[in-house]
Amino acid sequence: MWTYGTAILSRHPITSSDNTWLYKSPGQEQRGLLRATIDIRGKKVEVYNTHLAASSQADRSRQTAQIVDLIGAKKPGVLVGDFNALPDAPESQPLREAYTDAWDGFLPGHGEGATYPASAPTERIDVIYATPKVTPLLTRVVTTRPAASDHLPVISKVVIGP
């Protein structure tokens, strides 16, 4: 048996972190929400990473609602991950209502935003969301084929508010 999970890498100091298990119905894989507090030049930013249920829309619906409850909107934060659902899917709506999809931020993203499958992307299931105290400026998909994933990476430049 092998295990895997999510990770957050940062060039800035990570001052704390934790992982919260997300809802899982019987027979589904355990998923989580990883949180890291990152000190960016004196500003604390909460960064979250998740990988939602791949084969259960019902689980994803419960997971997105749980994520909104866990993150809230008081602190500056960014949520990234493989959501296994398009941003306009019903299970994505709690996230879209609570946060800004970085692709739709101040300056729209470049291109269509499709990230999966990496060899010929047609689906935008890898998304960056920002809390109300974070403003996305520019978002794009990195189109060079990564050797480490079957998804293309998404990057976003954001401004952290007060």
Side-chain angles (χ1 to χ4, degrees):
M1 181 172 105
W2 62 286
T3 60
Y4 63 92
T6 55
I8 296 172
L9 307 174
S10 176
R11 72 174 109 182
H12 301 283
I14 296 176
T15 59
S16 67
S17 66
D18 58 61
N19 190 58
T20 302
W21 295 128
L22 297 175
Y23 173 81
K24 170 183 102 63
S25 62
Q28 294 293 312
E29 287 185 68
Q30 182 64 66
R31 304 296 176 143
L33 178 66
L34 178 61
R35 180 200 59 83
T37 302
I38 300 177
D39 184 333
I40 302 175
R41 295 182 212 87
K43 290 185 181 181
K44 302 286 187 189
V45 180
E46 302 294 319
V47 177
Y48 300 87
N49 187 6
T50 194
H51 184 186
L52 298 186
S55 61
S56 173
Q57 182 181 15
D59 276 21
R60 286 192 301 272
S61 293
R62 298 269 302 260
Q63 291 166 349
T64 57
Q66 185 180 2
I67 287 169
V68 170
D69 286 343
L70 289 165
I71 294 175
K74 293 180 182 176
K75 295 180 180 178
V78 177
L79 167 65
V80 303
D82 175 352
F83 294 90
N84 279 312
L86 299 173
D88 60 351
E91 61 266 39
S92 299
Q93 294 319 295
L95 299 171
R96 291 189 66 83
E97 290 170 9
Y99 309 118
T100 300
D101 180 340
W103 202 261
D104 302 331
F106 183 69
L107 296 175
H110 290 151
E112 297 298 316
T115 58
Y116 180 81
S119 58
T122 58
E123 305 289 326
R124 187 164 86 89
I125 61 175
D126 302 286
V127 183
I128 298 172
Y129 290 102
T131 66
K133 295 182 179 181
V134 175
T135 304
L137 296 180
L138 181 65
T139 303
R140 69 181 179 90
V141 174
V142 179
T143 56
T144 54
R145 185 180 169 118
S149 178
D150 58 343
H151 296 246
L152 292 175
V154 181
I155 61 172
S156 187
K157 182 175 186 176
V158 300
V159 173
I160 309 301

